[in-house]
Amino acid sequence: MRSVLAYSGETTPRPVQPATQLCQFPQPLVVRRLFQSSILSLQDVLLLAWHTVRSLPGGRGAGARLIAQLDAVGVRSVPIVMLTGLFTGMVLALQASVQLKQFGATLFVGRFVAASMLRELGPVLSGIMVAGRVGAGIAAELSSMKVTEQLDALETMGAEPIRVLVLPRVIAAAIAVPVLALIADIAGLVGASLVSVMYLGVPISAFFQAAIDQVVIDGFVFGMIPSDLVQGILKPLAFGLILSLLACHHGLRATGGTAGVGVATTRAVVSASITILIADYFLTQLLLVLL
Amino acid sequence: MSPHAFPAMAAAAVELDQVSVAFARPVLHEVSLRVATAETLAVIGESGTGKSTMLRLILGLQQPDVGTVSVMGHSLRAIGRAEQRTLRAQIGMVFQGAALFDSLTTFENVAFGLRESGVMAEPAIRTRVRETLALVDLDPDEVSQTLPAQLSGGMRKRVGIARAIAPRPALLLYDEPTAGLDPLTSNTVTALMQRLQQELRVTSVVVSHDVRAMVRIADRIALLHEGRFVFVGAPDAMRASDEPYTQSFLAAA
């Protein structure tokens, strides 16, 4: 009988490459091992995703677990995401004004900020901020459960850790991150409008009219949903899935006592942040073709 | 390997047949063992000899490299996931560090397995949890709403035992139940285990390095050394054994 946590069939931790060997770069063997390790990790994350889908709808208590996670992942991330969005919008307005002033086009600050926030900065910044706050929390919680045998205790009592722990976190992140991205967009536009009014003398109505014009120019999906908004929801949805799955993966894979908790947490945040940035590029390419 | 004085005519609740497990090095090597229904078997030995691995094998949290593990007549290799879950519902496990869920209260921890099984209604669960907490000498009114972090080591261990016995399992596994406790608390936990064995008549496998405690509570003791059993038998027979390692282990204890 195989533990559900050994989702790739590995029951023992992989050997760590000695630092002295890694320093002798470039070496074909080192590169090959790093590549193999990356492929194995990707396989593990995909398998975890598959097992998570298979554990739907989540069984008894799934609703309560999801609500608790929506609170932890979503509601408690609102302040940090709002603050990030607000100041990013303010900085964007300031930077845009420097360029647009030269052409007497400060009225277009709203368009510039709307396009930047809705399509890129809102989703990416929310994803990265949530990866830092929530991803670290998920990885730390699951890894400490792993090293203190709480995951074994769950399995012993007939509860699958993926169903009880991973599924609610992944669904909560998939729901919460798009909403948080919209909140970041709104906060960014509010911040940019304040800068526009106070420093550039742009009337607030003109600022928001320019922002709306930008959304209209970028077109609609099915004739009614702004394509900027579609991008601004689909990307953070993917980012939510990425950060939660990676955080759960690193948490469940933790080894080595309390030191392993720190390692898992760091890995979760770093891998989620980098993967979000890489995924953003490919998603942008895909969505530009599709929308 | 010999049947190691397995009680005659008794049905085996747990059976390990020629089981081998290796990680970076061999841990268990062609180990065979039978635990009779309602028997208490203590597995003792030095650290790293594979005692806890044996419990993980019985729980099905780990597969042997070679050999078969059967629990209550079911070979763990032969049954599917759903059957594994059903079987695990009949096994209670007391973890070394108690492994209580940090975010749940004492009441929720003890009720967890009952709620997960979905067999009992909520009022019956509440009654069972209170009964079980009382059974391990904890005041339900006092500890029910406390978090694990607010409990002492001995209380955590008792809550861990309460969580394991709450569903009234057919098989109870203890992993180092007295480890990390002061001598007085350790005695209290040992006495509690002894009383539970008498009251619940449940088959038990206890992994420990606390020889004195095991002599008090076990029907049979199995001594692991370098991945093999060097002695399996009654506590009195162990004291009388002339096997060199058994002698030196007892002398050291």
Side-chain angles (χ1 to χ4, degrees):
Chain A
M1 177 165 19
R2 189 161 67 87
S3 166
V4 73
L5 295 180
Y7 38 87
S8 71
E10 278 184 87
T11 52
T12 49
R14 289 175 200 145
V16 178
Q17 191 72 29
T20 47
Q21 286 186 32
L22 288 172
C23 290
Q24 296 164 2
F25 192 84
Q27 276 194 1
L29 187 63
V30 174
V31 174
R32 195 166 68 223
R33 283 188 181 167
L34 281 173
F35 179 73
Q36 283 173 344
S37 153
S38 304
I39 293 293
L40 280 171
S41 289
L42 178 65
Q43 174 192 301
D44 278 353
V45 175
L46 292 175
L47 274 171
L48 178 62
W50 170 239
H51 284 297
T52 307
V53 170
R54 280 184 60 184
S55 67
L56 280 165
R60 194 177 291 103
R65 285 193 288 268
L66 178 60
I67 289 168
Q69 287 306 316
L70 280 171
D71 178 53
V73 176
V75 177
R76 293 184 194 192
S77 298
V78 168
I80 196 173
V81 164
M82 271 181 75
L83 212 61
T84 309
L86 183 78
F87 281 96
T88 304
M90 290 168 80
V91 168
L92 271 180
L94 278 178
Q95 292 285 10
S97 69
V98 173
Q99 304 300 322
L100 294 173
K101 250 184 189 170
Q102 296 175 29
F103 308 101
T106 47
L107 276 173
F108 289 100
V109 166
R111 292 182 68 160
F112 179 82
V113 174
S116 307
M117 284 304 295
L118 286 172
R119 288 191 215 159
E120 284 302 326
L121 291 173
V124 172
L125 288 177
S126 317
I128 289 176
M129 293 311 287
V130 176
R133 200 193 81 80
V134 177
I138 292 174
E141 188 182 1
L142 296 195
S143 54
S144 65
M145 287 183 80
K146 172 92 185 292
V147 301
T148 56
E149 294 186 304
Q150 290 178 52
L151 297 184
D152 286 343
L154 269 180
E155 286 205 68
T156 306
M157 287 184 277
E160 289 175 81
I162 290 177
R163 175 174 62 79
V164 176
L165 299 172
V166 178
L167 181 66
R169 283 163 176 79
V170 170
I171 294 179
I175 294 170
V177 179
V179 176
L180 290 167
L182 288 177
I183 290 171
D185 294 342
I186 293 165
L189 286 170
V190 169
S193 70
L194 290 175
V195 168
S196 301
V197 171
M198 289 193 292
Y199 294 105
L200 309 176
V202 176
I204 195 158
S205 56
F207 174 88
F208 280 105
Q209 188 55 54
I212 292 166
D213 288 346
Q214 179 62 42
V215 172
V216 171
I217 284 169
D218 285 339
F220 292 85
V221 177
F222 303 126
M224 52 194 269
I225 309 166
S227 72
D228 283 350
L229 193 65
V230 173
Q231 284 203 43
I233 289 173
L234 287 181
K235 280 184 182 178
L237 171 72
F239 298 159
L241 292 171
I242 287 169
L243 75 91
S244 55
L245 280 168
L246 283 172
C248 290
H249 164 72
H250 288 294
L252 296 175
R253 282 268 168 211
T255 52
T258 47
V261 175
V263 171
T265 308
T266 308
R267 281 183 180 165
V269 175
V270 171
S271 62
S273 302
I274 290 172
T275 312
I276 283 172
L277 291 171
I278 295 169
D280 183 47
Y281 172 78
F282 290 106
L283 277 172
T284 303
Q285 274 210 329
L286 180 72
L287 291 172
L288 285 175
V289 172
L290 292 177
L291 299 178
Chain B
M1 185 173 268
S2 74
H4 296 305
F6 180 73
M9 304 300 288
V14 177
E15 189 165 1
L16 276 71
D17 185 22
Q18 296 290 304
V19 166
S20 296
V21 176
F23 299 122
R25 60 180 180 81
V27 177
L28 294 175
H29 186 69
E30 293 179 0
V31 165
S32 294
L33 185 74
R34 298 177 80 195
V35 185
T37 303
E39 182 190 18
T40 298
L41 177 89
V43 181
I44 59 173
E46 295 170 60
S47 302
T49 48
K51 303 189 297 293
S52 298
T53 302
M54 225 177 81
L55 292 187
R56 293 180 64 81
L57 289 171
I58 295 169
L59 277 168
L61 295 176
Q62 196 169 329
Q63 279 273 23
D65 299 329
V66 181
T68 56
V69 179
S70 301
V71 177
M72 288 174 260
H74 300 275
S75 166
L76 299 186
R77 268 193 206 281
I79 58 176
R81 279 187 106 95
E83 288 164 301
Q84 289 168 21
R85 277 198 294 276
T86 310
L87 196 59
R88 277 190 197 144
Q90 298 173 58
I91 306 174
M93 171 78 184
V94 179
F95 289 87
Q96 185 171 351
L100 301 179
F101 303 128
D102 296 327
S103 56
L104 302 183
T105 63
T106 296
F107 181 92
E108 290 167 332
N109 262 287
V110 179
F112 190 93
L114 299 170
R115 285 177 174 155
E116 198 60 36
S117 68
V119 175
M120 293 171 80
E122 196 58 29
I125 289 175
R126 264 183 249 125
T127 309
R128 174 68 68 85
V129 171
R130 290 182 68 84
E131 279 173 8
T132 311
L133 285 172
L135 199 61
V136 297
D137 300 328
L138 289 171
D139 180 357
D141 294 326
E142 196 183 310
V143 299
S144 284
Q145 295 313 309
T146 53
L147 289 169
Q150 298 168 300
L151 300 171
S152 68
M155 288 169 90
R156 285 170 66 92
K157 199 73 90 172
R158 276 185 276 173
V159 175
I161 294 173
R163 186 176 67 181
I165 63 173
R168 301 295 180 263
L171 173 64
L172 197 49
L173 308 176
Y174 296 87
D175 189 7
E176 300 282 8
T178 57
L181 299 177
D182 62 81
L184 283 177
T185 314
S186 174
N187 270 342
T188 311
V189 170
T190 307
L192 170 67
M193 288 164 63
Q194 205 169 10
R195 185 161 57 79
L196 290 175
Q197 306 301 91
Q198 287 160 1
E199 289 183 21
L200 302 176
R201 304 294 305 157
V202 59
T203 309
S204 304
V205 179
V206 190
V207 154
S208 180
H209 57 260
D210 187 346
V211 180
R212 284 184 190 175
M214 294 307 103
V215 166
R216 274 171 65 187
I217 65 167
D219 297 315
R220 284 191 305 151
I221 294 180
L223 176 60
L224 258 178
H225 178 53
E226 294 181 347
R228 296 171 192 270
F229 286 119
V230 292
F231 173 85
V232 182
D236 289 340
M238 187 182 189
R239 284 196 205 96
S241 170
D242 55 2
E243 196 280 319
Y245 181 77
T246 308
Q247 292 259 320
S248 62
F249 190 85
L250 284 177

